[in-house]
Amino acid sequence: MLLLVGGFLLLMIMGVPVAVSMAVASVAYLLIYGVAPDLIAAQRMIAGVESFPLLAVPFFILAGNLMNIAGVTGRIYTFALALVGWMKGGLAQVNIIGSVIFSGMSGTALADAAGIGTIEIKAMKDHGYPVEAAVGVTAASATLGPIFPPSLPFVIYGMMANVSIGALFMAGILPGVVMTLLMMLTVAIFAYRKGWGSDTPFSMAKLGEASLEIVVVLGFPVLVYLLVLAGLSINAAVGVALVVLVAADWYFDFSAVMALMTPVILIGGMTMGWFTPTEAAMAAVIWSLFLGLVRYRTMTLKALAKASFDTIETTASVLFIVTAASIFAWLLTVSQSAQVFSTFIFALTENKWVFLILVNILMLIVGCFLDTIAAITILVPILLPVAAIYGVDPVHFGLIMTLNLMIGLLHPPLGMVLFVLSRVAKLSVERTTMAILPWLVPLLVALLLITFIPAITLWLPQQMGLIR
């Protein structure tokens, strides 16, 4: 076990990519110790990606890319500006609200940072905000992407932990709301201390229009319910309500109603049993294509091809990490690393909450060095059995793990959001890191609340009967 982990860390220090480091260390361990036939390496790597839930990965990535090229990000920004732009530190608040909406479509922090984050940073710089402030709030709000449903890390975790992905999606809603409120409070404090003003005049008309869009979205399930009461089947009721919604959006040209409808469609479809979370990813792609090709007509064949190739590239890198991490995690399992780790932890403490503190510290450190997907694939087989002994709910543990690893995306040496925003803002990695540091405070506060108040995570899936 020490050779396996040591070889992996040595290759990482030498600058070898994470996936290659795991694959080489695993194959070397197999050859040296002969714990299994050589062919097992190929078999385990193939088995790692031979999973129905993993089909969601390329479709959610494609949906995020399609939303970016369909002009939806600009409409989300306009909507958020009307809703909260009049507050002190208005564009920083817009940044957060925009990320909340976009997170309901993309499922990844990188899509958020590279998509709507690009618009928000430019707007904040143009309005006189320090570039560091623009980068900091964009980085912090990008972590909302994988917390609000849908979420790629939840898909990977659900597959590895054999946990309902639908329950994980539902469990992310209240923690996402808590994170949003804490970040908005942080912006208000910064605005007060640094004298940030509002960035758009208060307009009751614009605020009313933005509020009306929220009412329209909330009215969709109400209309479906009333149509069912009137005697229509659920399928017919949803179809009629969708036709009414599209007609109203076409007539009034709402800024973000169709974007806001994305999580409603996905969550509603999963709740009613129309499709699984994996099939929901395909539904997100179909909805994105409808918006880009039919509703807004902003998607060209050239842009569609680019989005497809970008998706192929990203999916290949993600699944390569999964394949390499699969054999690495399998070797850790057969070498009884989980038992060694559990014995070590029990020697330190028998208290559940102390265990969770130790896990948070471990994952915050791991998140700085390992890719999110690799970290989930490696750590779940080791940590989840120990968490079960302490009585930690696997859905709750999934939220803790995901949020820790999202914070890791903001750190060097492997924080991908850090590098994306460094390129977007044309700042050095060092300056970008310093800009992000103050915004870790609300994220860490949210992490503590989610860790020590499990009801924040578990209440909604329990109410929906997804977990007991």
Side-chain angles (χ1 to χ4, degrees):
M1 184 181 71
L2 291 176
L3 177 65
L4 177 65
V5 176
F8 167 60
L9 293 176
L10 178 62
L11 290 169
M12 285 274 292
I13 293 170
M14 292 169 61
V16 178
V18 177
V20 177
S21 299
M22 286 188 290
V24 171
S26 302
V27 172
Y29 185 85
L30 280 172
L31 293 174
I32 293 171
Y33 285 97
V35 294
D38 300 346
L39 188 62
I40 200 70
Q43 290 176 340
R44 296 306 306 180
M45 292 178 82
I46 293 171
V49 292
E50 209 171 33
S51 168
F52 179 68
L54 275 181
L55 286 175
V57 172
F59 289 122
F60 276 133
I61 293 172
L62 178 58
N65 288 337
L66 292 176
M67 288 291 182
N68 273 333
I69 67 171
V72 176
T73 49
R75 287 176 169 269
I76 292 172
Y77 177 79
T78 302
F79 168 79
L81 187 65
L83 192 65
V84 296
W86 51 270
M87 297 179 178
K88 289 187 179 296
L91 284 185
Q93 302 284 18
V94 167
N95 196 317
I96 295 167
I97 297 299
S99 293
V100 169
I101 300 169
F102 194 75
S103 67
M105 298 179 291
S106 68
T108 66
L110 288 182
D112 188 302
I116 196 167
T118 304
I119 300 173
E120 292 163 341
I121 289 176
K122 182 179 184 304
M124 289 183 72
K125 286 167 64 178
D126 291 346
H127 279 73
Y129 285 85
V131 65
E132 286 83 359
V135 168
V137 70
T138 301
S141 64
T143 61
L144 291 166
I147 302 300
F148 276 108
S151 165
L152 284 183
F154 285 168
V155 172
I156 304 296
Y157 176 86
M159 180 197 71
M160 292 298 302
N162 196 25
V163 172
S164 165
I165 296 173
L168 289 166
F169 281 5
M170 293 300 102
I173 294 176
L174 287 183
V177 171
V178 169
M179 291 170 65
T180 301
L181 294 175
L182 286 171
M183 279 188 267
M184 293 184 74
L185 177 61
T186 304
V187 168
I189 294 170
F190 270 96
Y192 175 77
R193 292 184 58 190
K194 297 181 179 295
W196 295 345
S198 61
D199 296 297
T200 185
F202 177 79
S203 169
M204 183 57 73
K206 288 187 177 180
L207 181 61
E209 289 173 4
S211 300
L212 176 62
E213 295 194 25
I214 297 174
V215 171
V216 169
V217 173
L218 295 177
F220 178 83
V222 175
L223 177 58
V224 171
Y225 178 72
L226 293 176
L227 289 172
V228 170
L229 286 181
L232 290 180
S233 68
I234 183 67
N235 291 352
V238 171
V240 171
L242 274 175
V243 170
V244 172
L245 176 75
V246 171
D249 185 70
W250 224 301
Y251 183 78
F252 294 105
D253 194 24
F254 294 122
S255 290
V257 161
M258 302 304 261
L260 290 167
M261 277 300 299
T262 307
V264 175
I265 292 172
L266 298 185
I267 294 170
M270 287 186 287
T271 302
M272 290 188 291
W274 283 356
F275 37 70
T276 66
T278 303
E279 292 160 347
M282 189 63 215
V285 171
I286 294 171
W287 186 248
S288 305
L289 288 171
F290 168 74
L291 294 185
L293 296 174
V294 180
R295 173 62 187 92
Y296 301 136
R297 299 181 184 178
T298 51
M299 194 181 292
T300 63
L301 289 178
K302 182 178 179 181
L304 183 58
K306 184 180 184 305
S308 301
F309 281 113
D310 287 346
T311 301
I312 293 169
E313 181 181 342
T314 306
T315 302
S317 64
V318 169
L319 294 185
F320 180 43
I321 292 170
V322 171
T323 58
S326 295
I327 182 174
F328 192 83
W330 178 77
L331 287 173
L332 288 176
T333 302
V334 297
S335 62
Q336 297 187 326
S337 299
Q339 291 87 331
V340 173
F341 182 76
S342 61
T343 302
F344 172 72
I345 291 296
F346 275 119
L348 293 177
T349 180
E350 294 183 2
N351 186 286
K352 168 184 173 180
W353 305 111
V354 175
F355 164 72
L356 287 176
I357 291 173
L358 294 174
V359 166
N360 275 315
I361 294 171
L362 171 67
M363 287 192 289
L364 283 173
I365 295 171
V366 168
C368 298
F369 296 96
L370 272 186
D371 176 87
T372 301
I373 306 302
I376 291 173
T377 311
I378 292 171
L379 291 178
V380 167
I382 297 174
L383 294 179
L384 194 60
V386 185
I389 295 172
Y390 281 99
V392 180
D393 187 279
V395 172
H396 181 214
F397 193 75
L399 263 292
I400 294 172
M401 175 174 279
T402 302
L403 182 50
N404 272 292
L405 297 177
M406 289 308 99
I407 295 173
L409 289 176
L410 311 183
H411 284 291
L414 291 174
M416 292 307 297
V417 169
L418 171 74
F419 293 119
V420 167
L421 293 179
S422 176
R423 289 197 299 270
V424 169
K426 297 180 173 60
L427 286 179
S428 66
V429 172
E430 293 78 14
R431 283 185 66 191
T432 306
T433 302
M434 295 305 296
I436 290 172
L437 284 179
W439 297 94
L440 294 180
V441 174
L443 295 178
L444 292 174
V445 171
L447 178 60
L448 290 174
L449 290 174
I450 291 166
T451 299
F452 294 109
I453 309 177
I456 296 175
T457 298
L458 301 177
W459 183 80
L460 195 54
Q462 284 173 344
Q463 296 303 307
M464 300 186 71
L466 296 170
I467 58 174
R468 289 182 291 176

